[in-house]
Amino acid sequence: EVRPLAHIRSLAYRQKGGGTMGGGPLFRRPAVRSKIPVRAAPLDRYLKAKGSQPPRTWLSGLAQRLRAAGCTGVVDAAETWFRQEVQYLLSDPKEADKLGDYFAAWLRAVHRRIWDDIDRSDPEELRRRAHMPSEARPQSKKHRHNLKDITIPGVEDAFNEFTAFDPAARPSSSRERVLAQIVVDAFQLRMADVAMALSVADSVVSVPMGEKVVVMLYAGEDHANSVAGFWGKQGFSSSGLPSKGFVGKTDWDDEEPRCLEFPPYLQDVRRLFPVPKQQ
């Protein structure tokens, strides 16, 4: 059974007439400036650990299973890492969120006049830019918008604003709502990373000790980098892999196909043992 709105829309995009999966270039899906309507967040539901009694979340059940398998150190490290990452993300949401999603949401909610007059198709670029030209007057420096001085309050300042809010006196403002969304999202964002990191550990302990294991993690750039960072702190590294194990690039032009040519050790993962020498 598929719940309403429980669908994944890939960022991969193939133009009509581009052929089947074997033909036609893949592009990044064109940016959509409008919000995606969602009726309500699933606040009354969560992924339950199968067989848990009393009920516990799926992530809590995964952590318990790993502790029982002798991986207490990994679970403890993941819990510590989660708190540190959330604290870092909320200390300065604009600078900490490299992809610019928080800054774009902040501009849309708090600085609507600027938002409506700039090219906001690339949130990552918006976050980096000191100024953005006016779309109404693109040739005028006088009318360009200063983004450098726009900041997002950290978590302590955000909660000071929440404390001062009286729901009996007035409705919440768009500023207060987007601040609350950013705070909640930071916890959910890194909780997903913890789930992926612990799932990697769960995959490894499921095979006999001493077996060689390759774990394939399919995730977006932010999540993949975050999980790789966690395992890097546990002693893993890209030593011996060309380009530190990175394939492709992080900055693509809109018209560029997003196809990757995998190195030999990813075409045949047996070549990962031993780790290939630097070329």
Side-chain angles (χ1 to χ4, degrees), residues 47-69:
L47 291 176
K48 173 183 174 293
K50 186 176 181 180
S52 61
Q53 194 57 245
R56 62 195 306 163
T57 64
W58 173 83
L59 183 55
S60 175
L62 174 59
Q64 182 191 40
R65 186 165 69 246
L66 286 171
R67 288 186 188 277

Side-chain angles (χ1 to χ4, degrees), residues 203-269:
S203 298
V204 173
V205 300
S206 67
V207 302
M209 184 176 295
E211 288 286 331
K212 298 179 176 65
V213 181
V214 176
V215 180
M216 302 293 184
L217 171 65
Y218 181 79
E221 179 183 351
D222 181 75
H223 289 299
N225 286 337
S226 184
V227 175
F230 168 75
W231 285 110
K233 292 182 178 180
Q234 313 314 309
F236 289 82
S237 76
S238 57
S239 177
L241 296 177
S243 302
K244 296 182 178 180
F246 186 83
V247 179
K249 56 183 182 179
T250 58
D251 190 14
W252 301 77
D253 293 332
D254 291 338
E255 66 275 6
E256 278 189 284
R258 303 301 177 94
C259 297
L260 300 177
E261 182 177 348
F262 284 168
Y265 64 84
L266 289 181
Q267 297 179 31
D268 181 358
V269 294

Side-chain angles (χ1 to χ4, degrees), residues 63 67 74-84 194 230:
R67 288 186 188 277
V74 172
V75 176
D76 289 344
E79 291 178 351
T80 300
W81 174 75
F82 170 74
R83 289 192 293 269
Q84 292 172 342
V194 170
F230 168 75

Side-chain angles (χ1 to χ4, degrees), residues 123-165:
E124 187 174 358
E125 182 183 4
L126 278 182
R127 189 195 68 84
R128 294 195 308 260
R129 293 283 293 269
H131 299 87
M132 284 292 290
S134 163
E135 287 201 328
R137 299 177 177 85
Q139 304 302 323
S140 173
K141 286 189 175 181
K142 178 181 177 181
H143 292 91
R144 68 180 182 175
H145 299 284
N146 181 2
L147 302 186
K148 182 179 180 180
D149 294 338
I150 298 178
T151 59
I152 304 175
V155 66
E156 292 186 6
D157 290 335
F159 271 92
N160 287 336
E161 293 192 28
F162 299 155
T163 303
F165 169 62

Side-chain angles (χ1 to χ4, degrees), residues 159-210:
F159 271 92
N160 287 336
E161 293 192 28
F162 299 155
T163 303
F165 169 62
D166 181 4
R170 60 173 177 83
S172 61
S173 66
S174 57
R175 175 189 174 97
E176 291 162 341
R177 290 193 296 272
V178 75
L179 265 181
Q181 291 165 355
I182 289 173
V183 171
V184 172
D185 183 79
F187 283 88
Q188 294 179 329
L189 184 72
R190 292 303 173 236
M191 191 174 294
D193 297 340
V194 170
M196 285 186 276
L198 294 186
S199 295
V200 170
D202 192 47
S203 298
V204 173
V205 300
S206 67
V207 302
M209 184 176 295

Side-chain angles (χ1 to χ4, degrees), residues 105-125:
W106 183 256
L107 283 179
R108 183 175 59 238
V110 184
H111 300 273
R112 191 65 191 220
R113 183 181 62 83
I114 295 177
W115 174 260
D116 289 338
D117 191 40
I118 60 174
D119 177 4
R120 66 268 189 170
S121 60
D122 188 345
E124 187 174 358
E125 182 183 4

